[in-house]
Amino acid sequence: MSRRSFRRGGALLAVASLALAAPAATAQAAPADQQRQRDFAAAADEFGVPENVLLGVSFLESRWDYNAGTPSTAAGYGPMHLTDLRAAGTGGSHHDEGGEDPRGDGRRPELHPSSPGPAPVTPPLQTVDRAAQLIGESAETLREDPAQNIRGGAALLADYQRQTGARGETPADWYGAIARYGGTPDASSFADEVFETLKSGVDRVTDDGQHLTLAPTPNLLPRTGSPAGGKVECPRSVSCESVPAPYQELPGGGYGNHDLANRPQSQKIDYIVIHDTEGYWDDVLKLVQDPAYVSWNYSIRSSDGQIAQHVPTKDVAYHAGNWYVNSKSIGVEHEGFAAKGAWYTEAMYRTSAKLVRYLAEKNRIPLDRAHIIGHDNVPGINAAKIPSMHWDPGPYWDWSHYFDLLGAPFDHGFGLPGSKLVTSTPGFAANQPAFTGCESPGKPCTPRGSASQILHTEPAADAPLLKDIGLHPDGTPSTMDVSDVGSRIDAGQRYAVAEVRGDWTAVWYLGQKGWFLNPRRAPTAKPAIGTVVVPKPGKASVPVYGTAYPEASAYPAGRTPQPIVPLPYSLQSGQRYSSSGTIGSEYYYATRFDPAEHLVVKGRTKYVQVQFGHRIAYVNADDVLVLPAF
């Protein structure tokens, strides 16, 4: 025990003795929901760390949550995100799973690269070992006990401060130690975010009901980190590096791992696709630099929010499994896993939001869930591809919090009661669907907050789930498997109302009525403003597509038209679906290495993007009417 903690222990004994002698009315216990606040204060005092610094570092890692003792997507445990890859386990790359062709271009051979396997354990992923050594507790205790986890984090932060050699008298002296805690000695982006948090302050209730407050310190310290620089497209307020993906010819006449283009002059960029890596940072960076692998535009590190750019935004990366979406989007990968571990760090959420807002403003992309989409919202290009489409970032990505950080919260701009459109807005922490399969098939996942709401065939919690004939061609109902998106909606997604019965609301979804609990006193969805599509009079059904490709006559001589193939769904008369606007038809013809031979084919056909199920889809504008949703 340190001399500091021994003196503190003696003082506590003296106080306890006085309390025993005092009347019962003066010896009341402190509120139980403030225990974690007291744990932070005690750990800060024991290890000589400014309390606000300790709170700020923890907030940027976990938002002070316990997360049921489960690891983050980057193997971090507890409020202080002490990392233990041995306990959390390794993972491969989701680009290897499910048979998805990440390029998704019917004009070219399918792309199914193999991964060299997970990277070995590295010291930054084992901070729990050093923390356990510093406080004399086991790694298991630090993973499972929030109070000991906080002590371990405080001891580790103090150890980093000693290594910097800087004075530690004020919070401003701790910049270097905070950066080191973010994962690397130069994690300036993480340190900057911590100091911004210290300036603004925070007051929130954690996932397990603990109320914590970090008082604001408005004039604490200006930013002293390293802004983005070099050949990167990033906001100046983040740390961003260039790790280029190679564009080169391969044996056998192929090439990789992306296509050169000239966006937005050649094609407007309409989407930003949010992914997770299903692997750890070092391995992910090796993969994207392999010319025979696949590509994405950016990666974001979990521990500190560091950003690496791989493919310029003008070029087309292979990331979404749908060539139309690839050619119209920017792909952003986040270190972590969609199910295993299942919570993402605040540091990564924050720098990701800054990057996405910057890219959205630069490319005039609306900040809504029709254009800032998950990989799980990207449609298959045809019926055969639907079952293999990926489902990251998964149901544990906090879309509501993410859009708060983007400055486009879901609780703004809602319609009047009775609107025929609703936006899904479940409370993340309290909304805990009973998913299975996070660790092994059929095994219940650890209960945790989720952005997903489950749809039923009737207004009852025990009613069957909906059927997704594309995902389950045998006609069986959807399941509660964490990867099964056939009967769920996510926060921020907008759907057309089909019916309301008491506390239950039904929306049109894949040709069916999908019911979810939406109590009037505690709503899980709110009225929205917008438009809906319905079949034109006389049309009993309308085809639904996974791409918005041009008509055959739009292709010049010598260029084979890309087929326009309907999905196994249809928009039936009497149904309506939320619309996010009319778009033109385009196909980026890029099948050879020389970019001089690439061509953007634009047709006369117009499409309307709709929220047809969990994934977006397209209908021919000539087949439908677009109406206000009153």
Side-chain angles (χ1 to χ4, degrees), residues 55-375:
L55 284 165
V57 168
S58 176
F59 185 82
L60 258 294
E61 295 286 18
S62 68
R63 300 176 76 203
W64 305 324
D65 288 339
Y66 174 52
N67 288 292
T70 59
S72 75
T73 58
Y77 289 82
M80 294 303 299
H81 197 255
L82 298 176
T83 53
D84 190 348
L85 187 57
R86 291 189 306 265
T90 60
S93 166
H94 72 253
H95 295 295
D96 308 328
E97 300 174 359
E100 184 189 74
D101 168 15
R103 188 164 52 206
D105 182 6
R107 288 261 62 84
R108 298 178 65 180
E110 289 194 8
L111 186 65
H112 296 291
S114 60
S115 167
V121 174
T122 54
L125 291 172
Q126 290 299 128
T127 60
V128 71
D129 293 342
R130 177 58 177 162
Q133 180 185 34
L134 288 169
I135 70 171
E137 297 284 354
S138 68
E140 181 180 12
T141 298
L142 268 64
R143 292 195 305 267
E144 297 179 355
D145 185 330
Q148 295 301 323
N149 183 276
I150 292 168
R151 287 187 67 235
L156 192 63
L157 192 58
D159 189 46
Y160 291 159
Q161 178 69 4
R162 285 191 292 272
Q163 293 177 37
T164 68
R167 299 169 63 182
E169 297 175 359
T170 68
D173 299 327
W174 288 75
Y175 188 94
I178 293 169
R180 173 72 181 277
Y181 199 99
T184 62
D186 61 347
S188 58
S189 176
F190 178 80
D192 288 341
E193 288 292 344
V194 169
F195 274 89
E196 286 301 301
T197 302
L198 298 183
K199 289 179 185 179
S200 61
V202 183
D203 187 286
R204 82 178 289 263
V205 176
T206 67
D207 60 349
D208 54 351
Q210 291 289 303
H211 184 192
L212 286 92
T213 301
L214 170 60
T217 310
N219 301 314
L220 181 59
L221 188 72
R223 290 186 180 274
T224 58
S226 302
K231 297 180 180 180
V232 291
E233 300 167 273
C234 290
R236 292 187 57 82
S237 60
V238 301
S239 179
C240 193
E241 62 182 317
S242 176
V243 182
Y247 184 77
Q248 64 186 61
E249 289 187 277
L250 300 171
Y255 66 92
N257 58 15
H258 58 282
D259 274 293
L260 302 186
N262 190 32
R263 304 183 307 175
Q265 286 74 24
S266 58
Q267 286 184 284
K268 185 181 183 303
I269 300 172
D270 289 330
Y271 308 103
I272 298 174
V273 182
I274 303 299
H275 302 260
D276 74 66
T277 61
E278 296 297 314
Y280 294 113
W281 184 254
D282 291 343
D283 194 30
V284 168
L285 294 195
K286 291 177 183 176
L287 291 174
V288 80
Q289 295 176 81
D290 181 349
Y293 200 62
V294 299
S295 59
W296 48 94
N297 299 88
Y298 296 88
S299 296
I300 304 181
R301 189 162 58 198
S302 178
S303 61
D304 60 352
Q306 172 74 12
I307 300 171
Q309 184 174 10
H310 313 298
V311 177
T313 60
K314 73 178 185 64
D315 297 330
V316 179
Y318 306 159
H319 62 95
N322 180 314
W323 184 243
Y324 175 78
V325 174
N326 279 339
S327 69
K328 303 283 288 180
S329 71
I330 296 168
V332 182
E333 292 273 3
H334 298 76
E335 182 188 14
F337 304 86
K340 187 178 69 174
W343 60 278
Y344 298 87
T345 66
E346 181 69 2
M348 187 162 62
Y349 273 129
R350 291 196 170 210
T351 55
S352 175
K354 288 183 176 181
L355 173 65
V356 167
R357 185 174 182 84
Y358 163 83
L359 295 172
E361 290 177 349
K362 181 179 178 181
N363 293 283
R364 299 182 180 181
I365 301 171
L367 290 175
D368 59 38
R369 290 286 283 111
H371 298 90
I372 310 300
I373 59 177
H375 194 169

Side-chain angles (χ1 to χ4, degrees), residues 429-508:
N431 180 50
Q432 300 186 359
F435 293 122
T436 62
C438 290
E439 298 293 338
S440 59
K443 181 181 178 180
C445 300
T446 301
R448 62 169 62 257
S450 172
S452 295
Q453 293 181 271
I454 307 304
L455 300 180
H456 299 268
T457 54
E458 297 292 338
D462 58 353
L465 305 188
L466 304 183
K467 295 180 180 181
D468 182 342
I469 195 64
L471 193 58
H472 302 284
D474 60 0
T476 57
S478 299
T479 70
M480 288 300 294
D481 188 274
V482 69
S483 66
D484 190 337
V485 299
S487 191
R488 73 176 67 152
I489 61 179
D490 275 356
Q493 289 183 313
R494 194 174 61 189
Y495 291 88
V497 176
E499 189 178 349
V500 176
R501 292 188 205 169
D503 287 340
W504 287 80
T505 298
V507 295
W508 288 114

